[in-house]
């Protein structure tokens, strides 16, 4: 493990493996750098792969207040350490963070995304209007387990009784440990989980090649959102993975990422 320091002085923990063009993996809700280890290993034969703990998670620090710009600056610090430019792969809400970095001018040369969790149709309920505020209230009170449960029911859409059963599972403690960052993901998503069609204005400045991946065996709104994103411009390409859902198998994802990213990698 190593660390870089973001523009506000926050320490961001990362690991690096492999050799070749720089590729940063950006995780979604609950994910630390360890969650991407298997995928990173599969990609490390072609790229120098950076996995990192987003701020507030794992071995990374956090600032006194949150702004999406701070997370973009975290990526900028990693990209600088990687040599001044990098490709990004973002998973779930991490895909939206990666998009945001590219839109805000980070030195990103190529962008791959998997299932940004947009809700743009009526196939499931949208997030409550006070979703982020409610999460923040739970976190401020230290009710991390309740914050996880609220995320799993309101955002993921699981039944409340199923989530209650999950509280006894071994993985629940790890989810509680990252619960303070759940409002961060909500702020990154913005209005994209409101049930309204996706607007391209937010990412109009993204002109680099973008691969948008989605499975066809998961929640229908995921594929719908991926299709809408891929339709925003000629630089966006959709790839559907048969039989996969939001938890895609790394050995199926890695070859697609390698093919797309290597095509634009600089020597």
């Amino acid at each position: 493990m190593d660390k870089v320091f973001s523009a506000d002085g926050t320490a961001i923990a990362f690991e690096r493996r492999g050799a070749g063009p720089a590729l940063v993996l950006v995780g979604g809700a609950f994910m630390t750098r360890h969650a991407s280890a298997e995928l990173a290993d599969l990609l490390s034969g072609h790229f120098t792969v950076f996995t990192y703990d987003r701020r507030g998670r794992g071995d990374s620090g956090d600032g006194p207040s949150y702004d999406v710009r701070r997370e973009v600056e975290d990526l900028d610090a990693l990209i600088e350490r990687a040599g001044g430019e990098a490709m990004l792969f973002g998973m779930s809400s991490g895909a939206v963070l990666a998009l945001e970095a590219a839109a805000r001018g980070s030195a990103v040369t190529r962008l791959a995304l998997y299932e940004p969790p947009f809700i743009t149709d009526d196939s499931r309920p949208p997030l409550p209007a006070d979703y982020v505020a409610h999460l923040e209230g739970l976190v401020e009170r230290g009710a991390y387990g309740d914050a996880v449960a609220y995320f799993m029911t309101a955002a993921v859409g699981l039944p409340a009784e199923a989530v209650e059963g999950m509280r006894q599972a071994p993985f629940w403690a790890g989810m509680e440990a990252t619960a303070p960052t759940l409002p961060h993901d909500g702020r990154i998503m913005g209005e994209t989980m409101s049930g309204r069609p996706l607007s391209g204005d937010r990412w109009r400045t993204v002109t680099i090649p973008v691969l948008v991946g989605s499975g066809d065996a998961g929640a229908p709104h995921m594929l719908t959102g991926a299709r809408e994103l891929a339709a925003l411009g000629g630089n966006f390409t959709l790839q559907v993975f048969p039989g996969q859902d939001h938890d895609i198998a790394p050995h199926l994802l890695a070859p697609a990422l390698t093919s797309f990213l290597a095509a634009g990698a600089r020597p």
Side-chain angles (χ1 to χ4, degrees), residues 60-76:
S60 289
D62 201 359
S65 61
Y66 182 77
D67 191 295
V68 176
R69 289 177 296 178
R70 301 288 85 81
E71 290 224 59
V72 172
E73 291 167 354
D74 300 345
L75 276 169
D76 288 340

Side-chain angles (χ1 to χ4, degrees), residues 3-233:
K3 290 186 178 181
V4 294
F5 291 90
S6 194
D8 69 348
T10 299
I12 303 299
F14 73 93
E15 295 181 9
R16 171 173 42 199
R17 67 197 81 191
L23 169 62
V24 181
L25 306 188
V26 187
F30 301 119
M31 293 179 69
T32 66
R33 68 186 191 276
H34 304 297
S36 302
E38 182 178 354
L39 178 62
D41 285 340
L42 291 169
L43 295 168
S44 63
H46 302 273
F47 310 102
T48 302
V49 185
F50 291 76
T51 57
Y52 76 107
D53 292 333
R54 284 174 49 192
R55 61 172 50 215
R57 304 181 189 180
D59 293 303
S60 289
D62 201 359
S65 61
Y66 182 77
D67 191 295
V68 176
R69 289 177 296 178
R70 301 288 85 81
E71 290 224 59
V72 172
E73 291 167 354
D74 300 345
L75 276 169
D76 288 340
L78 284 165
I79 291 170
E80 183 62 27
R81 176 66 67 90
E85 65 178 26
M87 299 174 288
L88 301 183
F89 167 67
M91 176 73 184
S92 192
S93 56
V96 184
L97 174 56
L99 259 177
E100 195 68 17
R104 294 183 184 225
S106 297
V108 181
T109 59
R110 212 165 177 89
L111 186 60
L113 315 171
Y114 188 76
E115 290 204 347
F118 302 137
I119 302 175
T120 62
D121 61 15
D122 60 0
S123 64
R124 57 146 290 171
L127 291 192
D130 66 344
Y131 170 76
V132 172
H134 186 69
L135 265 181
E136 289 176 336
L138 292 171
V139 168
E140 287 169 5
R141 296 197 300 272
Y144 298 157
D146 290 343
V148 173
Y150 183 64
F151 172 86
M152 298 301 289
T153 53
V156 178
L158 293 180
E161 56 272 19
V163 175
E164 281 303 309
M166 292 167 61
R167 285 180 181 264
Q168 310 307 317
F171 58 75
W172 188 264
M175 296 170 76
E176 283 196 13
T178 56
T181 66
L182 289 174
H184 301 182
D185 292 283
R187 293 198 176 278
I188 288 166
M189 295 306 300
E191 299 297 317
T192 63
M193 302 181 77
S194 64
R196 297 187 294 272
L198 200 63
S199 169
D201 292 343
R202 181 174 169 184
W203 303 301
R204 192 175 302 280
T205 57
V206 178
T207 57
I208 59 174
V210 181
L211 178 69
V212 183
S214 181
D216 66 0
H221 72 277
M222 292 286 188
L223 182 54
T224 298
R227 284 174 170 154
E228 288 195 25
L229 180 62
L232 292 184

